[in-house]
Amino acid sequence: MSVSDISITSGMRSNLLQLQETSKLTTRTQTRLASGKQVNSALDNPTNYFAAQSANQRANDLSDKKDNMSEAVQTVQAANAGITAITGLVSAAKGLAQSALSTSDTVTQSKLSVQYNTVRSQIDNLSSDSGYRGLNLLSSTNTLTVNFNENNTSKLNVVGFLGSSSGLSLTAASNAWQAASDITTDAAKLDTALSTLRSNTQTLAANLNIITTRQTFTDSMINTLQQGADNLTLADMNQEGANMLALQTRQQLSTSSLSMSSQAAQSVLRLF
């Protein structure tokens, strides 16, 4: 049976249409109250919906980059910790050389040279143990690439160096330190190694500062993008709550009006 097969009065039809429209508005308001958004799909507002979606997608991409930056910070800090420890060992080795220069006892000098070689081997161990998640900036000239934006056009390359004894040009104790010239030669190498370590520490510190600065900037950008998306889509909960009360009142009035219209039509029956 089609709708045209049923005849209703114009008053009832008008009230029915008002009830249907109120029901649609009530459903929309309930959706907004449940989601907290006034734009839940492209049908609500295509311009705002797609603009907010783009902003949120970029915020998500930057969030992934921020995680990579955090990992890069850990890698650089691991290398810096290794350099700090190696610097301490080089300083200890220099102390051994100075002790060897201050004595003429060849036996003592020989023992000190053995200790020096032990320290030198520990430098190699520290160098190989200073990696983080498979990347060691002290084991070779590895390069850590840190991408800062979503299309990888903004990046930083952190170049490592060989922090082992061979990388620092520290050879085994020359001639078991039996001559002052041998000790002096190795002491000069230690001074050069300290200079190299300090230089690389400064470079790592500068790179670390850049990465942490970009982390802070990325946090701000993510917040800005999310706020922009929210401004385009979020609903005013106070207004929507007021709308719901008004719609409930309208629905009650429309129902009452429809009932009154029906009663007017039923009065015809009294003629029979």
Side-chain angles (χ1 to χ4, degrees), residues 79-120:
N80 185 65
I83 291 178
T84 300
I86 292 171
T87 299
L89 289 179
V90 172
S91 296
K94 188 175 179 180
L96 293 173
Q98 291 172 343
S99 296
L101 282 174
S102 64
T103 181
S104 58
D105 185 359
T106 57
V107 175
T108 300
Q109 290 173 333
S110 179
K111 289 181 178 179
L112 290 171
S113 70
V114 172
Q115 294 176 22
Y116 168 83
N117 289 331
T118 300
V119 171
R120 179 176 170 274

Side-chain angles (χ1 to χ4, degrees), residues 19 65 92 110 160 188 255 261:
L19 271 173
K65 297 302 178 184
S110 179
T255 301
S261 297

Side-chain angles (χ1 to χ4, degrees), residues 8-18 254 257-258 261-262:
I8 59 178
T9 65
S10 60
M12 292 178 67
R13 186 176 301 280
S14 176
N15 289 324
L16 178 60
L17 290 174
Q18 289 181 1
S254 296
S257 297
L258 181 61
S261 297
S262 176

